[in-house]
Amino acid sequence: MPVLIAHTISEATEILAENPDATILNGGTDLMVEVNFNHRHPSSVLLLRNVPQLREWSIDSSQQTITIGAGVPYAAMETGAIAAAVPALAQAARTVGSPQIRAAGTMGGNLGTCSPAGDTLPVLSALEATIHLSSQDGERTVPFGEFMVGPKKNSRLQHEIITAVTLPVTGNRQGYSKVGVRNAMVISVASACFAIVDDTPRLAMGSVGPTILRAVKAEKFLAEATKDLDNISDEIAREFGEIASTEARPIDDHRSTAQYRAHAIKVLASRLAVRGTAS
Amino acid sequence: MSSVKTKRDVLGTSSLRPDGGAKVKGDFAFTSDLHAENMLWGATLRSPHPHARIVSIDTTAAWKIAGVECIVTADDVPGQLTYGLISSDQPVFAKDVVRYMGEPIAAVAADHPETCRRALAAITVVYEVLPVLFDPELAIGDDFEPIHPDGNLIRQQRIVHGDTSVVGDVIVEGHYVIGMQDQAFLGTESALALPDADGQGVEVFVATQWLHEDQKQMAACLNLPTERVRLVLGGVGGAFGAREDISLQVHTALLALRTSRPVKMQYGREESFFGHVHRHPATVWMRHHATNEGKIVKIEARFVFDGGAYASTSAAVLINGVTHTQGPYKCPVAVVDGYAVRTNNPPCGAMRGFGVVQACFAHEGQMDKLAAAVGTDPVSIRLMNAMETGDLLITGQPVESVAPVARLIRETNEIPLPPDLAIDANELDLPGGSGITAERKHIRRGIGWGVSIKNIMYSEGFDDYSTARCTLSDGKVVLKFATSEVGQGFVTLAPQIARSVLGVTDAVCDTIDTQIGSAGSTSASRQTWMSGGAVDGACRLVRERLFELVGAQQNIEPIRFAIEDDEIVDTAGTFRMSVIEASQGITISETFEHHHRKTEELDENGQGNCHVAFAFVAHRAVVDVDPELGLVKVVQIATAQDVGQVLNPLSVLGQIEGGIAQGLGLAVMEEIIVQEGRVRNPSFTDYLLPTALDAPVVVARMIEEYEPQAPLGAKGVGEPPCISVTPAIVAAIRDAIGKDIDRCPVRPQDICL
Ligand SMILES: Cc1cc2nc3c(=O)[nH]c(=O)nc-3n(C[C@H](O)[C@H](O)[C@H](O)COP(=O)(O)OP(=O)(O)OC[C@H]3O[C@@H](n4cnc5c(N)ncnc54)[C@H](O)[C@@H]3O)c2cc1C
């Protein structure tokens, strides 16, 4: 099986144009598992690890955004400047797998796989991130809400490479929570990201639907219920959680029950709504 | 010649494992690392259905794949078509019917694992799906067609003891459910088989718990004389009961014999979940009668153990369960009914704790109910009823072992409680861990207790023995035995024994294989007692011979000699000579077989002295719970364990800490989820084991009371640590949330919904 090694983004898109069947390999923490389980049999592999551009990130202070390369590993997001700019992303990154997985795994891979349990995805949804895609035809950007279209389905075209993600640097409250049955190294049973962007509350929910779900009714309720988002009463927080849980569309599976997942969303949402405030 | 006295790792020291360094560095060869010239790979075709008739098996297409050397099915088994530890009821390959999901149907040998995979995919099996018997209650009685010629009831045992008309002032009742736990050893099943040149025998390197039992069952299925099936222990990556039954042994050897080439087989993690037996899921009902003060006067109970498709050790697990109904407490009267049944669920058999885990989860739940009913606390109720040496079990058997139950409870209770959670506690110290699901204010703390009794060694009249040979030559000792080293540390202990008995420094273990008599299984917490007794006996025989030789040379009555440090000394004179010098140029070799005392079978009322000896332990769990989300963090486990004599403190602590982690797994996360006979989570992604972040602080006290029945005064310490820690943790969760929970593992929804 040929392994095609790219050193620049343009080289990568060129290789992909010539080898439309090539499977993209980033950290390999999803792909190699699938190969091991015989779920995927790549005919050729395009290796992105040696593309330095994909491992870069930068903050645009005039736009108040941060752009993170698709090959930046989770370990680089856990602390430092990325963590300071997007704390919820750092919290999500810290919940991913083990130190070994976080050293190898990337957001590009999380987006490539697009599992409803992917831990960075609720953060990208709540912050309304923009996904950058690159191909021989040029570059395009897609809002996260249009990128993830189903469980393990995204709108990336076969010849496109995910190059980066742009997120707002809000300077405002945001947080990520994930429930699993173990205290680390666990696939989420339910997760939620709460963020205040442009003075409006946002809540995205993971593992409780075919895609990451936005709790639009709960968001609307909260925006109308209070002017001061840093001073939310317990009662309002509780109602926020209850509304959010009605917006979840969880299922029963071997990891949990629909009933528990909906309940967990209620608790996570109401706790996140007040997390980091004085109350 | 002057010599500096080296520190000798005798009994009582924390001698280090001889293979420890290699294991830490990754240099240790596990069975899966073995390789042979010209080797083929083997793989197994398994049933996708829990219950189906096999209409046809077509291997034609698979044979045509380049690199495929052999395909075998039931028709190719030269000897007995079935095997099994207690009754031979499990087919080497399913022939007419498959009875559980994952049952082997065929095996292939090919030049590469990938070729094997393709060959398996090319075998066409036509099934006619049959109704699945998945409810163990339906397996009792005649409600469901027998799914096996031996019937659906594997064994039933009743215990009736004392004046059963007694009624207590206080009665508490509970129904308990114990989930199916996996042993989850890290080194999956693996074997390398090398055929003899004449094709009439085979040598097999295998990771197993009992070489001679494997040998016996393999020889019968392969239709070979026992001595032509030679087994060598390959490096074992954990066992916990899952390597007591045959898995790939016959398949690998058969493929090697058929191809006249070495064949290696190795299960991946998913296959491993289907390749070995699990801990029996069980339902237990108990009703305790007590006086107004809380003294137990009668226990009624009913156990149902789901044995899955084949018998394995279910019959023995059942007996362990029912005979431990009372726990480590006095109980004059009992009526117990127990059933081990056959279903189309995965076969269940041995796992650390062996039936006692299920009994303990129930009786400890009952003790807390009883404490609440009579208005006392968990510690007082247990002290009030604590068993002592000389007490009668509900089987009528007197407990002759040292039984320091009250002391274990008191000593555990003296261990300081952990500090309160800090106001600014790190998220990793809270339930939910790295998921940041809670703040300090959401958390409630609970404390719970568990105390247990566990029989050690084999029961019900089984003549359980172990064999060892000690060879002394030029001051060096070589020890030979067939005791499986599965991580428990016998390869550390055996040389320690030799150093203590013979005064040598240099003592090593020979290859562990079937070129000596059986050692019995590395299970039932028995090897320190049984193989320790055998090594001790062999070393003592060698010492006698050495004393005779030296006595003859020096004209001293051998009876006057003793070993002091590394010297032979005349206890009635001044003669001293180092053991090294005394054994220069000579070789003394002695073999010893250690048998434990006889036990009896139970009668129809479950009466009889069926067990050899007992070990006890107390656990106190401190647990933080997020009641709203149902998440748990076990903070501290305090424990005092009855160990007899400590022979290697580090080894004992390793067993205690490891057992607690395994018991914690059963308490809060480890469960094979089976729906209508289908395993839903055969992976470490979804079968969750505790990580370092889930493991509690363990504060352990080893309670040393010399066990006179044991050859070295030491009781087995392997199983007790995992038994009562599970109910202790669940009790702590109940305490934290003020709600009854009757099952383990406890799931988040059991706490918060
Ligand atoms: C033990 C373990 C624990 C895990 N725990 C978690 C967890 O807690 N939370 C979680 O969210 N995930 C977890 N995962 C899954 C995995 O680590 C993440 O999804 C990770 O983000 C994948 O990144 P990667 O770089 O390794 O992707 P890869 O495996 O390299 O790729 C994943 C998929 O994305 C595609 N892809 C990768 N990069 C690009 C690109 N630049 N453009 C287009 N397509 C691309 C690949 O073709 C592939 O289909 C775990 C995995 C393991 C093995």
Side-chain angles (χ1 to χ4, degrees), chain A residues 37-38 41 91 94-96 176-187 253-257 259-260 263-268 270-272 274-276 279, chain B residues 114 117 270 427 430-439 441-442 626 628-629 631-633 668-669 673 680-681 684-686 688-689 691 693-694 748-749 752-753:
Chain A
F37 275 115
N38 272 307
H41 306 98
Q91 290 166 9
R94 274 180 230 134
T95 75
V96 175
Y176 180 73
S177 280
K178 156 181 172 180
V179 171
V181 183
R182 181 158 70 182
N183 288 318
M185 263 276 276
V186 69
I187 295 185
D253 65 14
H254 58 277
R255 290 188 188 132
S256 189
T257 64
Q259 196 194 0
Y260 176 75
H263 170 83
I265 288 293
K266 180 177 80 184
V267 177
L268 293 183
S270 56
R271 286 182 183 176
L272 279 167
V274 295
R275 186 156 110 190
S279 76
Chain B
E114 182 57 22
R117 195 191 60 73
E270 182 176 358
E427 69 230 24
L430 299 177
S434 62
I436 331 184
T437 51
E439 291 169 53
K441 64 181 180 204
H442 299 123
D626 178 342
E628 251 190 307
L629 273 179
L631 301 181
V632 172
K633 165 101 183 170
V668 295
M669 62 182 86
I673 296 166
R680 301 300 311 277
N681 57 339
F684 280 173
T685 305
D686 287 320
L688 298 181
L689 294 163
T691 68
L693 210 51
D694 303 286
Q749 58 266 35
C752 68
L753 292 182

Side-chain angles (χ1 to χ4, degrees), chain B residues 35 62 84 111 146 191 204 207 213 228 259 271 331 381 450 463 490 500 570 633 642 651 666 670 698 729:
Chain B
H35 191 272
D111 57 358
V204 185
E213 180 63 30
R228 294 304 303 266
T259 57
E271 186 170 22
C331 171
I381 197 80
D463 179 21
F490 192 70
S500 281
D570 176 0
K633 165 101 183 170
D642 157 42
S651 274
L666 179 60
E670 285 187 47
V698 172
I729 291 168

Side-chain angles (χ1 to χ4, degrees), chain B residues 59-80:
Chain B
T59 58
T60 335
W63 274 108
K64 289 184 185 143
I65 294 173
V68 171
E69 298 291 334
C70 185
I71 303 176
V72 287
T73 64
D75 294 336
D76 303 295
V77 177
Q80 203 173 289

Side-chain angles (χ1 to χ4, degrees), chain B residues 15-18 485 489-497 499 648 651:
Chain B
S15 177
L16 297 178
R17 296 185 64 92
E485 171 61 42
F490 192 70
V491 292
T492 320
L493 180 67
Q496 283 183 272
I497 296 170
R499 291 186 201 107
N648 184 321
S651 274

